[in-house]
Amino acid sequence: MAGTDQLEQLREEALAALGALADAQALEAWRVRYLGMKGAVKSALKQLKDLPPDQKPAFGMLANRVKQDLAAAFEARKGDLVGAQGRRAQAVDMSLPALPLRLGHRHIITRTIEEITEIFARMGFTVAHGPEVEDEWHLFEALNMPLAHPARDPLDSFFITPSVILRTETSTVQIRVMESQQPPVRVVCPGRAYRPDTLDATHSFMFHQVEGLYVDEGVSMADLKTCVNQFCGAYFSPDVPTRFRPHFFPFTEPSAEVDIGCHLCAGSNPTCPVCKGTGWIELGGCGMVDPNVLDAVGYDSEKYTGWAFGLGIERMLMQKCNIPDIRLLFENDVRFLRQF
Ligand code: 2NL
């Protein structure tokens, strides 16, 4: 039985050697030596053909057994060694610099609204908010737009039902403020507004505006111009020129559009991409509150006067930060948004 003794010995030796291995490299050398194509188990099996026939079955069976045992022991040891090395590799290296921690922040539109309302707060304005869906009274009637008024064209507003409409401006909030208190009123209303405009670089079906309203005894257009000039100086730069251009709004009389001088060309470039060569950029509109609006909210229009303005927030932000396309603000692409 010399052959089978030899096999047992081989198994002992191999298992002892396996237990003493230190790393994955030594493990691979062990596998080649014992289980490889030219390894010890293979060469022991070669003896089979030289054995007497009666010894062949016992030797063959044991040889296969040894081979299986060594293969199983190899797999178990591999799990130990590779696992331990893997765990060591994953261990925290305290000497490495920390991974950068990317904190989120509020959207640039939100921050712009805060910056703008802060400027008006310094001039004594409070802030009011209101619903984004409105009734015809707050959106049209109270703002001096009776049923036949062209601004009530159904194609110019988003209707939820015939009497529930997405607000097209935040003046609705000022109407609500006036309905809830007597003058003096000094309030700004920032927020979303909706109009069915076709999307392009400067238009969106949803945008933000800030409206301001001041009603008291003896309020004049001179106060309006000073307030708007002060605001533009604070938000853009102290020396930014402004221009008030006569215009028409149903809710103010007289009315004007507000422009600031083009920061890019100051009117010197006839092909300027920002001001289109006019030298001016329109921010919004303003005017003296129409007495019909004061009457609608129950104010004494003989006693009180007021002014109001409405400014586009995206427009001001795009001006200030050189943003070429309004869509960039609403596509939620963090590569763009995290710059601010
Ligand atoms: C624009 C023009 C404007 C107003 C908004 C207003 C509000 C009340 C009464 C009277 Cl409650 N007027 N708001 C006045 C003039 C212009 O907005 O182009 N906005 C982006």
Side-chain angles (χ1 to χ4, degrees):
M1 297 293 279
T4 51
D5 285 351
Q6 222 180 328
L7 283 173
E8 296 284 9
Q9 208 183 325
L10 173 64
R11 172 157 59 186
E12 298 290 299
E13 179 199 315
L15 290 176
L18 186 66
L21 296 179
D23 57 30
Q25 224 176 336
L27 181 71
E28 177 58 12
W30 182 93
R31 189 193 63 77
V32 171
R33 179 162 172 211
Y34 291 101
L35 296 172
M37 295 297 281
K38 293 178 181 163
V41 173
K42 269 263 154 50
S43 58
L45 269 165
K46 282 193 186 125
Q47 298 172 20
L48 188 68
K49 64 180 184 340
D50 302 326
L51 289 175
D54 63 324
Q55 287 181 22
K56 281 186 181 178
F59 183 89
M61 261 159 58
L62 183 63
N64 275 325
R65 187 64 177 282
V66 168
K67 191 174 152 189
Q68 279 167 18
D69 288 352
L70 292 185
F74 168 79
E75 288 302 330
R77 191 80 180 106
K78 187 162 103 180
D80 288 351
L81 283 175
V82 176
Q85 251 179 359
R87 279 193 294 281
R88 262 200 301 283
Q90 277 169 21
V92 177
D93 181 348
M94 301 298 279
S95 69
L96 286 174
L99 290 173
L101 196 60
R102 273 236 159 88
L103 283 181
H105 58 72
R106 281 160 303 155
H107 194 279
I108 182 60
I109 292 284
T110 310
R111 288 158 45 130
T112 303
I113 289 174
E114 286 171 0
E115 186 182 350
I116 289 170
T117 51
E118 160 74 29
I119 294 169
F120 284 112
R122 294 205 294 265
M123 293 191 264
F125 286 80
T126 54
V127 181
H129 297 276
E132 290 181 18
V133 284
E134 270 294 0
D135 50 49
E136 292 170 292
W137 169 257
H138 291 98
L139 192 55
F140 299 129
E141 307 281 340
L143 284 160
N144 201 29
M145 288 182 270
L147 199 52
H149 200 280
R152 289 180 68 165
D153 185 332
L155 294 177
D156 289 339
S157 311
F158 286 114
F159 282 81
I160 307 293
T161 72
S163 57
V164 179
I165 311 127
L166 282 180
R167 71 182 182 199
T168 48
E169 58 220 2
T170 54
S171 329
T172 55
V173 184
Q174 292 159 306
I175 296 295
R176 288 174 181 279
V177 169
M178 288 191 284
E179 283 173 333
S180 70
Q181 65 166 91
Q182 281 294 310
V185 169
R186 212 183 290 172
V187 69
V188 284
C189 305
R192 292 193 188 95
Y194 302 83
R195 287 180 197 173
D197 283 337
T198 305
L199 203 58
D200 66 20
T202 53
H203 295 86
S204 169
F205 44 83
M206 185 279 298
F207 59 98
H208 296 74
Q209 62 160 199
V210 58
E211 290 223 3
L213 174 76
Y214 179 28
V215 183
D216 202 350
E217 286 181 58
V219 170
S220 81
M221 192 119 184
D223 307 321
L224 168 61
K225 289 186 75 173
T226 303
C227 179
V228 171
N229 285 340
Q230 290 284 322
F231 166 74
C232 290
Y235 181 72
F236 294 104
S237 69
D239 53 0
V240 70
T242 59
R243 178 173 82 165
F244 293 78
R245 203 161 22 83
H247 195 74
F248 173 80
F249 295 111
F251 26 76
T252 45
E253 183 61 34
S255 310
E257 284 196 313
V258 181
D259 298 340
I260 55 164
C262 178
H263 66 98
L264 195 63
C265 76
S268 64
N269 176 8
T271 60
C272 175
V274 174
C275 68
K276 310 273 180 278
T278 65
W280 297 95
I281 294 137
E282 185 193 320
L283 294 185
C286 63
M288 296 304 293
V289 178
D290 193 293
N292 288 344
V293 176
L294 297 176
D295 292 339
V297 297
Y299 282 5
D300 181 351
S301 59
E302 294 293 328
K303 186 173 173 194
Y304 297 111
T305 51
W307 48 252
F309 60 79
L311 304 172
I313 288 179
E314 285 83 357
R315 194 168 274 198
M316 292 192 282
L317 169 63
M318 288 167 73
Q319 256 322 291
K320 185 160 157 169
C321 297
N322 276 319
I323 299 168
D325 194 315
I326 194 170
R327 288 167 286 201
L328 288 165
L329 295 168
F330 303 119
E331 281 168 348
N332 277 343
D333 186 338
V334 286
R335 291 169 301 178
F336 170 78
L337 293 173
R338 75 173 158 234
Q339 302 174 80
F340 298 100

